[in-house]
């Protein structure tokens, strides 16, 4: 195991920052040394405030991801199968898709007010498109012979979707999920920074407004850790799901 | 043979795709339990005939009938053995799981599936490979697996599209004998497409030769060779050699 080597650079950077801060002298209202950030992290962890923020951010992120991801999945399967549907919807999709999801924050705030609903709506919008596009392309790439095998066995459309399309597309769908989950976390924190007074993004704003940089670094570090943990969990899920398969799909080894 | 007793029947069948004629004036019947081979150069519409019977294509003119009924779409009485076995198997399912797919289609309860799958795999010589994935099987074994899956749907008609075309000579011969044995046991009707003249003679009760572009009937040959057939004695039979010469001449005419 040589994975410990990865930790060397971050630790060295932290040490460097600490030394620079102490020799540079004095206190600052805009920056804080790592030692104070770590102490602040411990403080917000033990007083429960970070847990509350994390629960709010992760909760809205998961709810938005579930709505947008599953919606995109269903729409992607439908579009992957129907040329007619594709022709009717492509202009609509190409017009809606490029809208930056953050640009919808004011509208969502107007409609839903403060709280988790406005944030979930924007996350769902943001994750719907990559889920739709990647699912559609995964469905289009399914071996047509498999569909013929299913037709010869007279499976219904729903059975074909369940027994052939989903498992055949699963490796690509996992890639789509990883992408959408990353996007969901970005949009969640952005929404909380820009307009929604809850969650980790709001914690960052409070730290800024109360001139407590050590607290800001603590939350920043925590958000980074969450993103890393989320990715590791999804990769583990992917390995667990596909390890039992005989096939090894190296095309998506991202 | 009267149309009432025919397992499958082409009546003045023609098919055009995109304004181009693919097959024309196809007319023949196959009796129950008969093994008929279709032979012709590539592009003669051999596969098209199978796809018309399978209900994957509809004829532009004429009628295609199965057991006296006009084909309107796929039926579970008809099994299709595809040439490209590697693409026809579900790579995420084991050998047993692939056979199970057909049982799921027929509606066999979960509890009964295992006891149905084992003898089917044994029948095609894959008894010890039930838990392997297709990628872990050789080409010949993958094609055996596809045949087992087709047998699982208990078909009355087997459509085989150059099933051994991609296999080496030894594997091909043993699979030919296995298929003959299996269809004799199942009393299934077989329409078998090949471009291998000797394979057609070895397997068939009759051989239908097709002209190319568009596919049309060229010749129908009866193969009165004794059964069970044998890779050595059948292929050395004077009648086999005579038929081989005759069919060879027909094929030369077709290519000319």
């Amino acid at each position: 195991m040589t994975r410990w080597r990865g930790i060397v650079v971050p630790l060295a950077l932290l040490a460097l920052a600490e030394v620079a801060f102490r020799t540079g002298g004095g206190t600052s209202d805009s920056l804080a040394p790592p030692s104070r950030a770590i102490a602040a992290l411990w403080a917000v962890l033990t007083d429960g405030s970070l847990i509350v923020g994390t629960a709010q951010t992760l909760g809205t992120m998961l709810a938005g991801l579930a709505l947008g991801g599953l919606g995109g999945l269903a729409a992607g399967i439908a579009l992957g199968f129907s040329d007619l549907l594709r022709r009717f919807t492509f202009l609509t999709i190409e017009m809606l898709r490029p809208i930056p999801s953050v640009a919808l924050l004011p509208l969502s705030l107007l409609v839903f007010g403060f709280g988790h609903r406005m944030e979930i709506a924007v996350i769902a919008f943001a994750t719907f498109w990559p889920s739709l596009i990647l699912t559609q392309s995964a469905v289009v790439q399914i071996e047509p012979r498999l569909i013929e095998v299913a037709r010869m066995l007279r499976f219904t459309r729903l059975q074909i979707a369940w027994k052939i399309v989903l498992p055949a597309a699963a490796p690509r769908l996992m890639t789509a999920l990883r992408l959408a989950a990353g996007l969901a976390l970005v949009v969640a924190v952005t929404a909380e920074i820009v307009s929604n007074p809850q969650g980790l993004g709001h914690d960052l704003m409070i730290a800024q407004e109360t001139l407590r940089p050590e607290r800001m670094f603590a939350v920043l570090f925590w958000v980074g850790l969450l993103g890393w943990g989320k990715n590791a969990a999804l990769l583990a899920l992917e390995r667990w799901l596909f390890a039992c398969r005989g096939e090894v799909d190296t095309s998506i080894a991202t | 043979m009267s149309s009432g007793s025919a397992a499958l029947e082409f009546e003045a069948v023609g098919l055009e795709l995109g304004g181009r004629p693919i097959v024309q004036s196809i007319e023949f019947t196959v009796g129950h339990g008969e093994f008929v081979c279709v032979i012709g150069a590539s592009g003669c519409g051999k596969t098209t005939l199978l796809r018309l019977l399978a209900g994957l294509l509809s004829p532009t003119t004429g009628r295609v009938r199965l057991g006296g009924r006009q084909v309107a779409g796929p039926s579970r009485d008809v099994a299709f053995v595809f040439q490209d076995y590697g693409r026809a198997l579900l790579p995420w399912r084991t050998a047993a799981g692939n056979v199970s797919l057909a049982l799921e289609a027929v509606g066999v309860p979960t509890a009964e599936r295992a006891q149905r799958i084992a003898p089917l795999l044994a029948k095609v010589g894959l008894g010890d490979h039930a838990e392997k994935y297709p990628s872990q099987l050789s080409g010949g074994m993958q094609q055996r697996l596809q045949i087992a899956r087709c047998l699982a749907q208990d078909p009355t008609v087997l459509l085989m599209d150059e099933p051994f075309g991609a296999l080496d000579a030894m594997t091909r011969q043993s699979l030919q004998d296995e298929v003959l044995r299996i269809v004799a046991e199942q009393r299934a009707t077989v329409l078998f497409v090949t471009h291998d003249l000797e394979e057609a003679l070895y397997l068939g009760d009759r051989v239908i030769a097709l002209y190319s572009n568009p596919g049309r009937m060229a010749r129908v040959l009866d193969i009165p060779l004794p059964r069970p057939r044998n890779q050595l004695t059948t292929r050395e039979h004077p009648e086999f050699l005579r038929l081989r010469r005759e069919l060879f001449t027909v094929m030369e005419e077709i290519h000319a």
Side-chain angles (χ1 to χ4, degrees), chain B residues 16 30 38 47 76 78 91-92 109 114 142 146 165-166 168 177 233 242 256:
Chain B
E16 284 182 18
V30 176
V38 178
T47 301
R76 286 193 205 110
V78 180
W92 59 89
Q142 289 184 26
Q146 197 193 176
D168 64 84
D177 290 332
T233 57
R242 189 190 67 75

mmCIF file with all atom_site columns, all heavy atoms in Angstrom, chain B residues 16 30 38 47 76 78 91-92 109 114 142 146 165-166 168 177 233 242 256:
data_model
loop_
_atom_site.group_PDB
_atom_site.id
_atom_site.type_symbol
_atom_site.label_atom_id
_atom_site.label_alt_id
_atom_site.label_comp_id
_atom_site.label_asym_id
_atom_site.label_entity_id
_atom_site.label_seq_id
_atom_site.pdbx_PDB_ins_code
_atom_site.Cartn_x
_atom_site.Cartn_y
_atom_site.Cartn_z
_atom_site.occupancy
_atom_site.B_iso_or_equiv
_atom_site.pdbx_formal_charge
_atom_site.auth_seq_id
_atom_site.auth_comp_id
_atom_site.auth_asym_id
_atom_site.auth_atom_id
_atom_site.pdbx_PDB_model_num
ATOM 1   N N   . GLU B 1 16  ? -39.902 -5.282  -50.091 1.00 0.00 ? 16  GLU B N   1
ATOM 2   C CA  . GLU B 1 16  ? -39.109 -4.138  -50.528 1.00 0.00 ? 16  GLU B CA  1
ATOM 3   C C   . GLU B 1 16  ? -38.751 -3.315  -49.307 1.00 0.00 ? 16  GLU B C   1
ATOM 4   O O   . GLU B 1 16  ? -39.579 -3.112  -48.434 1.00 0.00 ? 16  GLU B O   1
ATOM 5   C CB  . GLU B 1 16  ? -39.923 -3.264  -51.494 1.00 0.00 ? 16  GLU B CB  1
ATOM 6   C CG  . GLU B 1 16  ? -40.043 -3.846  -52.883 1.00 0.00 ? 16  GLU B CG  1
ATOM 7   C CD  . GLU B 1 16  ? -40.806 -2.916  -53.816 1.00 0.00 ? 16  GLU B CD  1
ATOM 8   O OE1 . GLU B 1 16  ? -40.937 -1.719  -53.495 1.00 0.00 ? 16  GLU B OE1 1
ATOM 9   O OE2 . GLU B 1 16  ? -41.270 -3.395  -54.864 1.00 0.00 ? 16  GLU B OE2 1
ATOM 10  N N   . VAL B 1 30  ? -42.871 -25.833 -45.560 1.00 0.00 ? 30  VAL B N   1
ATOM 11  C CA  . VAL B 1 30  ? -42.055 -26.757 -44.771 1.00 0.00 ? 30  VAL B CA  1
ATOM 12  C C   . VAL B 1 30  ? -42.999 -27.526 -43.866 1.00 0.00 ? 30  VAL B C   1
ATOM 13  O O   . VAL B 1 30  ? -43.832 -26.915 -43.173 1.00 0.00 ? 30  VAL B O   1
ATOM 14  C CB  . VAL B 1 30  ? -41.000 -25.997 -43.945 1.00 0.00 ? 30  VAL B CB  1
ATOM 15  C CG1 . VAL B 1 30  ? -40.217 -26.957 -43.061 1.00 0.00 ? 30  VAL B CG1 1
ATOM 16  C CG2 . VAL B 1 30  ? -40.050 -25.230 -44.863 1.00 0.00 ? 30  VAL B CG2 1
ATOM 17  N N   . VAL B 1 38  ? -31.591 -23.227 -46.208 1.00 0.00 ? 38  VAL B N   1
ATOM 18  C CA  . VAL B 1 38  ? -31.641 -22.210 -47.256 1.00 0.00 ? 38  VAL B CA  1
ATOM 19  C C   . VAL B 1 38  ? -30.213 -21.788 -47.539 1.00 0.00 ? 38  VAL B C   1
ATOM 20  O O   . VAL B 1 38  ? -29.448 -21.484 -46.612 1.00 0.00 ? 38  VAL B O   1
ATOM 21  C CB  . VAL B 1 38  ? -32.475 -20.987 -46.804 1.00 0.00 ? 38  VAL B CB  1
ATOM 22  C CG1 . VAL B 1 38  ? -32.474 -19.920 -47.888 1.00 0.00 ? 38  VAL B CG1 1
ATOM 23  C CG2 . VAL B 1 38  ? -33.891 -21.404 -46.467 1.00 0.00 ? 38  VAL B CG2 1
ATOM 24  N N   . THR B 1 47  ? -31.355 -14.343 -44.718 1.00 0.00 ? 47  THR B N   1
ATOM 25  C CA  . THR B 1 47  ? -31.706 -13.899 -43.370 1.00 0.00 ? 47  THR B CA  1
ATOM 26  C C   . THR B 1 47  ? -33.079 -13.228 -43.367 1.00 0.00 ? 47  THR B C   1
ATOM 27  O O   . THR B 1 47  ? -33.838 -13.368 -42.406 1.00 0.00 ? 47  THR B O   1
ATOM 28  C CB  . THR B 1 47  ? -30.625 -12.943 -42.843 1.00 0.00 ? 47  THR B CB  1
ATOM 29  O OG1 . THR B 1 47  ? -29.391 -13.653 -42.842 1.00 0.00 ? 47  THR B OG1 1
ATOM 30  C CG2 . THR B 1 47  ? -30.943 -12.468 -41.443 1.00 0.00 ? 47  THR B CG2 1
ATOM 31  N N   . ARG B 1 76  ? -43.809 -16.817 -29.346 1.00 0.00 ? 76  ARG B N   1
ATOM 32  C CA  . ARG B 1 76  ? -42.905 -17.632 -28.538 1.00 0.00 ? 76  ARG B CA  1
ATOM 33  C C   . ARG B 1 76  ? -42.793 -19.059 -29.070 1.00 0.00 ? 76  ARG B C   1
ATOM 34  O O   . ARG B 1 76  ? -41.958 -19.823 -28.634 1.00 0.00 ? 76  ARG B O   1
ATOM 35  C CB  . ARG B 1 76  ? -43.360 -17.650 -27.077 1.00 0.00 ? 76  ARG B CB  1
ATOM 36  C CG  . ARG B 1 76  ? -43.067 -16.355 -26.387 1.00 0.00 ? 76  ARG B CG  1
ATOM 37  C CD  . ARG B 1 76  ? -43.221 -16.486 -24.883 1.00 0.00 ? 76  ARG B CD  1
ATOM 38  N NE  . ARG B 1 76  ? -43.526 -15.179 -24.332 1.00 0.00 ? 76  ARG B NE  1
ATOM 39  C CZ  . ARG B 1 76  ? -44.701 -14.839 -23.824 1.00 0.00 ? 76  ARG B CZ  1
ATOM 40  N NH1 . ARG B 1 76  ? -45.655 -15.745 -23.746 1.00 0.00 ? 76  ARG B NH1 1
ATOM 41  N NH2 . ARG B 1 76  ? -44.906 -13.632 -23.378 1.00 0.00 ? 76  ARG B NH2 1
ATOM 42  N N   . VAL B 1 78  ? -41.809 -19.578 -31.932 1.00 0.00 ? 78  VAL B N   1
ATOM 43  C CA  . VAL B 1 78  ? -40.697 -19.473 -32.879 1.00 0.00 ? 78  VAL B CA  1
ATOM 44  C C   . VAL B 1 78  ? -39.471 -18.976 -32.134 1.00 0.00 ? 78  VAL B C   1
ATOM 45  O O   . VAL B 1 78  ? -39.520 -17.941 -31.477 1.00 0.00 ? 78  VAL B O   1
ATOM 46  C CB  . VAL B 1 78  ? -41.048 -18.485 -34.011 1.00 0.00 ? 78  VAL B CB  1
ATOM 47  C CG1 . VAL B 1 78  ? -39.892 -18.377 -34.989 1.00 0.00 ? 78  VAL B CG1 1
ATOM 48  C CG2 . VAL B 1 78  ? -42.319 -18.924 -34.716 1.00 0.00 ? 78  VAL B CG2 1
ATOM 49  N N   . PRO B 1 91  ? -24.629 -10.071 -21.374 1.00 0.00 ? 91  PRO B N   1
ATOM 50  C CA  . PRO B 1 91  ? -23.305 -10.240 -20.765 1.00 0.00 ? 91  PRO B CA  1
ATOM 51  C C   . PRO B 1 91  ? -23.328 -10.143 -19.237 1.00 0.00 ? 91  PRO B C   1
ATOM 52  O O   . PRO B 1 91  ? -22.410 -10.608 -18.589 1.00 0.00 ? 91  PRO B O   1
ATOM 53  C CB  . PRO B 1 91  ? -22.475 -9.101  -21.368 1.00 0.00 ? 91  PRO B CB  1
ATOM 54  C CG  . PRO B 1 91  ? -23.471 -8.119  -21.878 1.00 0.00 ? 91  PRO B CG  1
ATOM 55  C CD  . PRO B 1 91  ? -24.706 -8.876  -22.226 1.00 0.00 ? 91  PRO B CD  1
ATOM 56  N N   . TRP B 1 92  ? -24.394 -9.544  -18.669 1.00 0.00 ? 92  TRP B N   1
ATOM 57  C CA  . TRP B 1 92  ? -24.448 -9.375  -17.220 1.00 0.00 ? 92  TRP B CA  1
ATOM 58  C C   . TRP B 1 92  ? -25.146 -10.554 -16.542 1.00 0.00 ? 92  TRP B C   1
ATOM 59  O O   . TRP B 1 92  ? -25.310 -10.560 -15.333 1.00 0.00 ? 92  TRP B O   1
ATOM 60  C CB  . TRP B 1 92  ? -25.146 -8.071  -16.857 1.00 0.00 ? 92  TRP B CB  1
ATOM 61  C CG  . TRP B 1 92  ? -26.559 -7.993  -17.375 1.00 0.00 ? 92  TRP B CG  1
ATOM 62  C CD1 . TRP B 1 92  ? -27.681 -8.422  -16.729 1.00 0.00 ? 92  TRP B CD1 1
ATOM 63  C CD2 . TRP B 1 92  ? -26.990 -7.460  -18.627 1.00 0.00 ? 92  TRP B CD2 1
ATOM 64  N NE1 . TRP B 1 92  ? -28.780 -8.205  -17.511 1.00 0.00 ? 92  TRP B NE1 1
ATOM 65  C CE2 . TRP B 1 92  ? -28.392 -7.606  -18.680 1.00 0.00 ? 92  TRP B CE2 1
ATOM 66  C CE3 . TRP B 1 92  ? -26.318 -6.871  -19.712 1.00 0.00 ? 92  TRP B CE3 1
ATOM 67  C CZ2 . TRP B 1 92  ? -29.137 -7.187  -19.778 1.00 0.00 ? 92  TRP B CZ2 1
ATOM 68  C CZ3 . TRP B 1 92  ? -27.077 -6.464  -20.789 1.00 0.00 ? 92  TRP B CZ3 1
ATOM 69  C CH2 . TRP B 1 92  ? -28.459 -6.615  -20.815 1.00 0.00 ? 92  TRP B CH2 1
ATOM 70  N N   . PRO B 1 109 ? -42.651 -19.949 -12.908 1.00 0.00 ? 109 PRO B N   1
ATOM 71  C CA  . PRO B 1 109 ? -42.410 -19.389 -11.580 1.00 0.00 ? 109 PRO B CA  1
ATOM 72  C C   . PRO B 1 109 ? -40.941 -19.519 -11.170 1.00 0.00 ? 109 PRO B C   1
ATOM 73  O O   . PRO B 1 109 ? -40.273 -20.494 -11.560 1.00 0.00 ? 109 PRO B O   1
ATOM 74  C CB  . PRO B 1 109 ? -43.295 -20.231 -10.659 1.00 0.00 ? 109 PRO B CB  1
ATOM 75  C CG  . PRO B 1 109 ? -44.237 -20.965 -11.542 1.00 0.00 ? 109 PRO B CG  1
ATOM 76  C CD  . PRO B 1 109 ? -43.625 -21.046 -12.892 1.00 0.00 ? 109 PRO B CD  1
ATOM 77  N N   . ALA B 1 114 ? -34.891 -23.151 -11.755 1.00 0.00 ? 114 ALA B N   1
ATOM 78  C CA  . ALA B 1 114 ? -33.610 -23.846 -11.618 1.00 0.00 ? 114 ALA B CA  1
ATOM 79  C C   . ALA B 1 114 ? -33.706 -25.277 -12.142 1.00 0.00 ? 114 ALA B C   1
ATOM 80  O O   . ALA B 1 114 ? -32.826 -25.741 -12.868 1.00 0.00 ? 114 ALA B O   1
ATOM 81  C CB  . ALA B 1 114 ? -33.177 -23.828 -10.156 1.00 0.00 ? 114 ALA B CB  1
ATOM 82  N N   . GLN B 1 142 ? -20.763 -20.373 -26.296 1.00 0.00 ? 142 GLN B N   1
ATOM 83  C CA  . GLN B 1 142 ? -21.743 -19.278 -26.315 1.00 0.00 ? 142 GLN B CA  1
ATOM 84  C C   . GLN B 1 142 ? -22.898 -19.614 -27.267 1.00 0.00 ? 142 GLN B C   1
ATOM 85  O O   . GLN B 1 142 ? -24.062 -19.360 -26.952 1.00 0.00 ? 142 GLN B O   1
ATOM 86  C CB  . GLN B 1 142 ? -21.072 -17.971 -26.758 1.00 0.00 ? 142 GLN B CB  1
ATOM 87  C CG  . GLN B 1 142 ? -20.138 -17.402 -25.710 1.00 0.00 ? 142 GLN B CG  1
ATOM 88  C CD  . GLN B 1 142 ? -19.548 -16.063 -26.128 1.00 0.00 ? 142 GLN B CD  1
ATOM 89  O OE1 . GLN B 1 142 ? -20.123 -15.322 -26.909 1.00 0.00 ? 142 GLN B OE1 1
ATOM 90  N NE2 . GLN B 1 142 ? -18.389 -15.751 -25.594 1.00 0.00 ? 142 GLN B NE2 1
ATOM 91  N N   . GLN B 1 146 ? -26.887 -20.052 -26.484 1.00 0.00 ? 146 GLN B N   1
ATOM 92  C CA  . GLN B 1 146 ? -28.005 -19.408 -27.161 1.00 0.00 ? 146 GLN B CA  1
ATOM 93  C C   . GLN B 1 146 ? -29.043 -20.456 -27.596 1.00 0.00 ? 146 GLN B C   1
ATOM 94  O O   . GLN B 1 146 ? -30.251 -20.228 -27.508 1.00 0.00 ? 146 GLN B O   1
ATOM 95  C CB  . GLN B 1 146 ? -27.517 -18.608 -28.382 1.00 0.00 ? 146 GLN B CB  1
ATOM 96  C CG  . GLN B 1 146 ? -28.565 -17.617 -28.831 1.00 0.00 ? 146 GLN B CG  1
ATOM 97  C CD  . GLN B 1 146 ? -28.340 -16.985 -30.196 1.00 0.00 ? 146 GLN B CD  1
ATOM 98  O OE1 . GLN B 1 146 ? -29.174 -16.246 -30.651 1.00 0.00 ? 146 GLN B OE1 1
ATOM 99  N NE2 . GLN B 1 146 ? -27.224 -17.258 -30.847 1.00 0.00 ? 146 GLN B NE2 1
ATOM 100 N N   . GLY B 1 165 ? -21.420 -20.205 -38.524 1.00 0.00 ? 165 GLY B N   1
ATOM 101 C CA  . GLY B 1 165 ? -20.554 -19.532 -39.486 1.00 0.00 ? 165 GLY B CA  1
ATOM 102 C C   . GLY B 1 165 ? -19.256 -19.030 -38.898 1.00 0.00 ? 165 GLY B C   1
ATOM 103 O O   . GLY B 1 165 ? -18.231 -18.993 -39.579 1.00 0.00 ? 165 GLY B O   1
ATOM 104 N N   . ALA B 1 166 ? -19.287 -18.643 -37.618 1.00 0.00 ? 166 ALA B N   1
ATOM 105 C CA  . ALA B 1 166 ? -18.096 -18.028 -37.036 1.00 0.00 ? 166 ALA B CA  1
ATOM 106 C C   . ALA B 1 166 ? -17.266 -19.028 -36.239 1.00 0.00 ? 166 ALA B C   1
ATOM 107 O O   . ALA B 1 166 ? -16.323 -18.643 -35.564 1.00 0.00 ? 166 ALA B O   1
ATOM 108 C CB  . ALA B 1 166 ? -18.518 -16.857 -36.136 1.00 0.00 ? 166 ALA B CB  1
ATOM 109 N N   . ASP B 1 168 ? -14.917 -22.652 -35.606 1.00 0.00 ? 168 ASP B N   1
ATOM 110 C CA  . ASP B 1 168 ? -13.919 -23.461 -36.310 1.00 0.00 ? 168 ASP B CA  1
ATOM 111 C C   . ASP B 1 168 ? -14.532 -24.794 -36.739 1.00 0.00 ? 168 ASP B C   1
ATOM 112 O O   . ASP B 1 168 ? -15.588 -25.205 -36.262 1.00 0.00 ? 168 ASP B O   1
ATOM 113 C CB  . ASP B 1 168 ? -12.697 -23.692 -35.418 1.00 0.00 ? 168 ASP B CB  1
ATOM 114 C CG  . ASP B 1 168 ? -13.036 -24.493 -34.189 1.00 0.00 ? 168 ASP B CG  1
ATOM 115 O OD1 . ASP B 1 168 ? -13.067 -25.734 -34.288 1.00 0.00 ? 168 ASP B OD1 1
ATOM 116 O OD2 . ASP B 1 168 ? -13.309 -23.879 -33.144 1.00 0.00 ? 168 ASP B OD2 1
ATOM 117 N N   . ASP B 1 177 ? -24.006 -32.039 -35.252 1.00 0.00 ? 177 ASP B N   1
ATOM 118 C CA  . ASP B 1 177 ? -24.573 -33.302 -34.764 1.00 0.00 ? 177 ASP B CA  1
ATOM 119 C C   . ASP B 1 177 ? -25.468 -33.076 -33.550 1.00 0.00 ? 177 ASP B C   1
ATOM 120 O O   . ASP B 1 177 ? -26.511 -33.709 -33.411 1.00 0.00 ? 177 ASP B O   1
ATOM 121 C CB  . ASP B 1 177 ? -23.443 -34.284 -34.428 1.00 0.00 ? 177 ASP B CB  1
ATOM 122 C CG  . ASP B 1 177 ? -22.744 -34.771 -35.693 1.00 0.00 ? 177 ASP B CG  1
ATOM 123 O OD1 . ASP B 1 177 ? -23.410 -34.803 -36.747 1.00 0.00 ? 177 ASP B OD1 1
ATOM 124 O OD2 . ASP B 1 177 ? -21.548 -35.099 -35.632 1.00 0.00 ? 177 ASP B OD2 1
ATOM 125 N N   . THR B 1 233 ? -19.626 -41.255 -42.635 1.00 0.00 ? 233 THR B N   1
ATOM 126 C CA  . THR B 1 233 ? -20.330 -42.082 -43.618 1.00 0.00 ? 233 THR B CA  1
ATOM 127 C C   . THR B 1 233 ? -21.289 -41.264 -44.474 1.00 0.00 ? 233 THR B C   1
ATOM 128 O O   . THR B 1 233 ? -21.401 -41.491 -45.677 1.00 0.00 ? 233 THR B O   1
ATOM 129 C CB  . THR B 1 233 ? -21.085 -43.227 -42.930 1.00 0.00 ? 233 THR B CB  1
ATOM 130 O OG1 . THR B 1 233 ? -21.992 -42.667 -41.978 1.00 0.00 ? 233 THR B OG1 1
ATOM 131 C CG2 . THR B 1 233 ? -20.135 -44.172 -42.225 1.00 0.00 ? 233 THR B CG2 1
ATOM 132 N N   . ARG B 1 242 ? -23.175 -37.024 -55.119 1.00 0.00 ? 242 ARG B N   1
ATOM 133 C CA  . ARG B 1 242 ? -23.928 -36.631 -56.304 1.00 0.00 ? 242 ARG B CA  1
ATOM 134 C C   . ARG B 1 242 ? -24.647 -35.298 -56.070 1.00 0.00 ? 242 ARG B C   1
ATOM 135 O O   . ARG B 1 242 ? -24.598 -34.384 -56.888 1.00 0.00 ? 242 ARG B O   1
ATOM 136 C CB  . ARG B 1 242 ? -24.947 -37.722 -56.651 1.00 0.00 ? 242 ARG B CB  1
ATOM 137 C CG  . ARG B 1 242 ? -25.633 -37.523 -58.005 1.00 0.00 ? 242 ARG B CG  1
ATOM 138 C CD  . ARG B 1 242 ? -26.789 -38.481 -58.204 1.00 0.00 ? 242 ARG B CD  1
ATOM 139 N NE  . ARG B 1 242 ? -27.903 -38.221 -57.298 1.00 0.00 ? 242 ARG B NE  1
ATOM 140 C CZ  . ARG B 1 242 ? -28.750 -37.201 -57.436 1.00 0.00 ? 242 ARG B CZ  1
ATOM 141 N NH1 . ARG B 1 242 ? -28.602 -36.325 -58.396 1.00 0.00 ? 242 ARG B NH1 1
ATOM 142 N NH2 . ARG B 1 242 ? -29.737 -37.045 -56.567 1.00 0.00 ? 242 ARG B NH2 1
ATOM 143 N N   . ALA B 1 256 ? -22.993 -16.888 -61.453 1.00 0.00 ? 256 ALA B N   1
ATOM 144 C CA  . ALA B 1 256 ? -22.637 -16.431 -62.796 1.00 0.00 ? 256 ALA B CA  1
ATOM 145 C C   . ALA B 1 256 ? -23.454 -15.200 -63.203 1.00 0.00 ? 256 ALA B C   1
ATOM 146 O O   . ALA B 1 256 ? -24.510 -14.946 -62.662 1.00 0.00 ? 256 ALA B O   1
ATOM 147 C CB  . ALA B 1 256 ? -22.873 -17.545 -63.814 1.00 0.00 ? 256 ALA B CB  1
#
